[in-house]
Amino acid sequence: MVEGIFEAGESCLIIEDVITTGGSILETVDILNKAGLKATEGVVLLDRQQGGHINLANNKFNIRSVFNISEILQTLEKAGDIDHDTVEKTLKFIDENKLFK
């Protein structure tokens, strides 16, 4: 269900908290398109770097992220909140578990 006041053909921006595969964003795009809106761009707070950007690009949807998981891990390491081994293990896990490459 799409709520609010809009006219068919208007553009809208999708805002999400986290992106993993991009699947939920594509579902939202479909709902908005069926309601007559154009949804081709979005903003996400955190990109988990597991292929969501690639999946969305393949579906002609442009997404921008405020942060990605690598940046957060580096910041935590620099602050001394996690050690380098944890950063490396986490990045390795993410790389080995990408859903879209």
Side-chain angles (χ1 to χ4, degrees), residues 6 10 12 15 34 40 49 51 53 55-56 71 79 85 100:
F6 62 90
E10 288 183 321
C12 64
I15 301 172
K34 287 178 180 173
T40 59
Q49 295 179 286
H53 270 89
N55 186 26
L56 293 171
E71 294 167 337
D85 188 50
F100 298 93

Side-chain angles (χ1 to χ4, degrees), residues 3 12 16 33 35 41 43 47 55-56 70 98 100:
E3 297 181 12
C12 64
E16 276 285 347
N33 287 341
E41 297 199 31
V43 175
D47 178 6
N55 186 26
L56 293 171
S70 294
K98 285 186 180 179
F100 298 93

Side-chain angles (χ1 to χ4, degrees), residues 35-59:
L37 291 166
K38 291 188 245 174
T40 59
E41 297 199 31
V43 175
V44 63
L45 181 62
L46 175 64
D47 178 6
R48 292 182 55 183
Q49 295 179 286
Q50 291 188 279
H53 270 89
I54 294 167
N55 186 26
L56 293 171
N58 290 341
N59 285 279

Side-chain angles (χ1 to χ4, degrees), residues 19-20 46-52 68-73 86-101:
I19 182 176
T20 304
L46 175 64
D47 178 6
R48 292 182 55 183
Q49 295 179 286
Q50 291 188 279
N68 65 48
I69 196 71
S70 294
E71 294 167 337
I72 290 177
L73 290 169
T86 301
V87 172
E88 291 301 314
K89 285 179 182 177
T90 304
L91 292 175
K92 183 177 185 238
F93 175 84
I94 291 168
D95 189 55
E96 291 173 348
N97 291 282
K98 285 186 180 179
L99 302 167
F100 298 93
K101 297 181 182 187

Side-chain angles (χ1 to χ4, degrees), residues 71-84 87:
E71 294 167 337
I72 290 177
L73 290 169
Q74 290 169 1
T75 300
L76 290 171
E77 180 183 14
K78 186 176 179 180
D81 293 325
I82 58 175
D83 61 31
H84 185 72
V87 172

Side-chain angles (χ1 to χ4, degrees), residues 10-24:
E10 288 183 321
S11 295
C12 64
L13 177 71
I14 296 176
I15 301 172
E16 276 285 347
D17 53 355
V18 177
I19 182 176
T20 304
T21 67
S24 64

